[in-house]
Amino acid sequence: MTVPTNPSPDLATPSATASAPLLTSTSSRLTQVLGIGWAISVVLVVCAAFWWSEPDATQGELVRLFYLHVPLAILEYVPFLLCGIGSVLFLWKRSEWGDLMAHAGAEVGVVMCALTLVTGAVWGRPTWGTYWDWSDVRLVTTLILCLLFVGYLALRRVPGDPTTRAKQAAIVALVALIDIPLINRSVEWWENRTLHQKGTIAQGKIEDINAFATLLGFIMVGLGIAFLMTHRFRIAWLERQVDRVGLDDAIAHRRAEAATGVDASVGRTPEEGGQQ
Amino acid sequence: MLRDAWLIAAKDLRIEWRSRVATNQVAPFAFLILVLFAFALDANSAALREFTPGLFWVAVLFSGMLAIQRSFSIESSDGVGDALLLSGIEPASMFLGKALAIFLQLLALEVILAVAVLVLYDAGIEDGVLFATTSLVAAAGVAAAGTLYGVLSVNLRVKETILPLLLLPVLAPVLIGATRAFNDALGTAAVDGWAWLGVLGLFAVIYIVFGSFAYGVLLEDS
């Protein structure tokens, strides 16, 4: 995505250029490297999951979905965590950078969370015999986490003063993030009420090629999150700049009208025009 | 600080008492929800008795949502919000005051709903202490989280729609925990209600503490 730098070079746009260099695209050298790395890792995971690895002794062919689902289920917390860090940075230091990172983190996190739930449901149907199980606390809390941030994104879309909205969003994000430790520990807390298997990787049950495929899955999802986060962050940054340039343009137009003495479009003097 | 909180709570309760909105609209609505559940479950007495804990708490959350919206709509008219800011009362006291008023209204709602489920759903209380403690602790959690999100959404043009979307997922642990605890108290399922009461207590403490700090941030320019 590219946007024209400055549509009217004769008008001064001081605040847009003073605070930071004007971005012209959502891609950068970093996102290009991340994107190429992500594409390569997707190919490698597909090869590892479908050709190189063997079916599992107990799960059979279903284990192949594991290489996508498990990394998603674990790394989905990273964007939400970045959203929390960004929110704290905003509340503490009034950091615009933190606010944009929080927004980007929430959006990418919701996508990852939804993918986790979908891949989990597809995996659960043949493994557990059901797409969804309401008594599984981990499933339900992941769903709640997803819904919490759907609300967060809805709040961010409500028009209004960006600073006020950023404060409100930061509080909502922190409230939502109090839920995450509960989710992470829930498998242990409500042990008798979960279908989830406990830390297969930690117990050393996964070996060799399967471990390699899982590792590749983690790299793929990690690169994907980094790629999407960086792009989303830069889109938000560009949107802020467009807003500022638009405001500066409007102010410059008014000043130009004032300088010519008469507002030609309405046919009034600047004093009268200024009272509109 | 607590004296100021009580002043705010007393003001809110006085307005509710004089306007009769809570008694004439919110309480009948809560009762209506219980009637609708009976229609939805096809007048099946056994099912109603079995699911009484969950239905009770869903009714509390939905009618509590109205009480929370009401509590903040009285602040948004006639410059009451600005007057409160100018009064010099600390934001934490304001938070505790608003939450206390909502808490007491929720308790009143719970008493009405409890009598209603005992009569209409033929529910029986086996552990009265657990029943009462759960009602108190869960109401405290709902009031704290509700007050925080109430002030956040009060000045939004979409406040009626955004408040339930933001608040209900946050209250999901309360609904689950309170329903489980009531399962034990009403004898509808063999669970350890006191363990779930711990979850409810943790929720209430977290949101009372967090809300006391965050309320000021949201007040500044909302």
Side-chain angles (χ1 to χ4, degrees):
Chain A
M1 179 184 148
T2 55
V3 295
T5 13
N6 191 342
S8 46
D10 54 315
L11 300 172
T13 56
S15 65
T17 46
S19 56
L22 203 65
L23 296 181
T24 54
S25 161
T26 62
S27 75
S28 68
R29 180 61 57 82
L30 175 67
T31 60
Q32 285 164 3
V33 172
L34 284 172
I36 292 167
W38 189 21
I40 293 171
S41 66
V42 169
V43 174
L44 286 176
V45 168
V46 169
C47 290
F50 289 103
W51 288 290
W52 302 341
S53 64
E54 296 294 318
D56 186 69
T58 48
Q59 294 188 44
E61 304 288 346
L62 291 169
V63 76
R64 303 184 193 284
L65 195 53
F66 191 93
Y67 306 130
L68 178 62
H69 174 71
V70 173
L72 275 174
I74 293 173
L75 293 179
E76 71 177 348
Y77 297 115
V78 174
F80 288 131
L81 197 64
L82 289 172
C83 175
I85 294 170
S87 302
V88 171
L89 278 177
F90 178 77
L91 288 176
W92 183 25
K93 303 261 188 196
R94 287 286 175 270
S95 151
E96 189 185 12
W97 194 86
D99 180 44
L100 298 178
M101 182 169 85
H103 194 175
E107 258 189 40
V108 176
V110 165
V111 172
M112 294 296 145
C113 209
L115 281 173
T116 307
L117 291 169
V118 170
T119 54
V122 172
W123 188 39
R125 176 71 181 170
T127 316
W128 301 335
T130 175
Y131 287 113
W132 190 263
D133 182 50
W134 283 106
S135 66
D136 189 296
V137 178
R138 194 156 164 183
L139 275 184
V140 176
T141 34
T142 306
L143 180 65
I144 295 170
L145 181 67
C146 194
L147 288 173
L148 281 167
F149 277 93
V150 166
Y152 172 94
L153 293 178
L155 175 67
R156 293 224 73 138
R157 288 192 71 89
V158 177
D161 174 49
T163 315
T164 309
R165 198 66 72 246
K167 268 187 212 169
Q168 294 170 332
I171 299 281
V172 170
L174 293 181
V175 167
L177 285 173
I178 295 172
D179 243 21
I180 285 196
L182 201 67
I183 292 163
N184 237 345
R185 304 301 297 172
S186 60
V187 176
E188 280 77 22
W189 281 4
W190 291 283
E191 209 170 0
N192 55 338
R193 286 177 52 81
T194 186
L195 293 170
H196 270 96
Q197 48 188 320
K198 282 178 290 176
T200 315
I201 300 168
Q203 289 168 15
K205 279 185 190 162
I206 295 183
E207 292 161 7
D208 310 334
I209 186 66
N210 297 35
F212 178 64
T214 311
L215 178 70
L216 280 178
F218 272 97
I219 293 171
M220 174 186 75
V221 174
L223 284 173
I225 288 172
F227 176 77
L228 291 173
M229 282 278 303
T230 320
H231 268 292
R232 187 61 190 84
F233 177 86
R234 290 171 69 99
I235 288 171
W237 185 250
L238 277 172
E239 281 173 351
R240 288 280 165 96
Q241 283 186 345
V242 167
D243 285 348
R244 282 201 201 110
V245 169
L247 181 65
D248 289 331
D249 271 358
I251 292 171
H253 271 297
R254 297 299 295 165
R255 290 219 173 106
E257 283 162 9
T260 56
V262 177
D263 187 339
S265 61
V266 192
R268 279 184 287 188
T269 60
E271 287 76 18
E272 284 168 334
Q275 288 169 2
Q276 281 180 3
Chain B
M1 181 171 152
L2 288 177
R3 208 181 61 86
D4 288 347
W6 176 247
L7 277 177
I8 301 270
K11 163 193 83 78
D12 278 12
L13 292 172
R14 205 173 302 126
I15 292 173
E16 287 312 320
W17 181 251
R18 288 180 186 165
S19 69
R20 299 280 198 278
V21 170
T23 46
N24 289 359
Q25 291 173 28
V26 180
F29 175 72
F31 184 76
L32 179 64
I33 295 174
L34 291 184
V35 176
L36 293 181
F37 280 144
F39 293 156
L41 292 174
D42 205 17
N44 183 338
S45 303
L48 282 174
R49 197 178 312 123
E50 186 183 348
F51 299 123
T52 294
L55 301 179
F56 176 92
W57 284 106
V58 169
V60 170
L61 289 196
F62 283 176
S63 45
M65 199 68 59
L66 292 188
I68 292 161
Q69 269 173 343
R70 164 86 191 142
S71 165
F72 285 92
S73 72
I74 58 175
E75 303 273 286
S76 62
S77 57
D78 303 328
V80 177
D82 292 339
L84 271 180
L85 276 179
L86 290 172
S87 70
I89 292 176
E90 278 183 34
S93 304
M94 274 191 231
F95 170 79
L96 291 175
K98 296 293 289 181
L100 180 63
I102 293 173
F103 170 73
L104 292 172
Q105 290 178 56
L106 284 173
L107 282 188
L109 273 175
E110 285 175 359
V111 169
I112 295 169
L113 286 169
V115 172
V117 295
L118 289 179
V119 174
L120 294 178
Y121 293 180
D122 193 23
I125 299 175
E126 288 193 357
D127 187 343
V129 180
L130 181 61
F131 186 91
T133 325
T134 305
S135 301
L136 282 171
V137 177
V142 173
T147 306
L148 187 59
Y149 276 15
V151 72
L152 188 145
S153 58
V154 61
N155 283 327
L156 298 178
R157 268 177 294 170
V158 291
K159 59 174 175 286
E160 297 88 356
T161 42
I162 197 108
L163 180 68
L165 177 63
L166 288 176
L167 184 56
L168 287 175
V170 172
L171 294 181
V174 176
L175 179 60
I176 299 170
T179 302
R180 292 276 144 208
F182 261 36
N183 273 331
D184 190 5
L186 299 179
T188 50
V191 289
D192 182 7
W194 291 99
W196 285 99
L197 192 65
V199 177
L200 292 175
L202 188 67
F203 183 94
V205 169
I206 287 174
Y207 284 99
I208 288 171
V209 172
F210 186 81
S212 304
F213 287 107
Y215 200 79
V217 177
L218 293 172
L219 264 189
E220 276 169 27
D221 49 8
S222 63

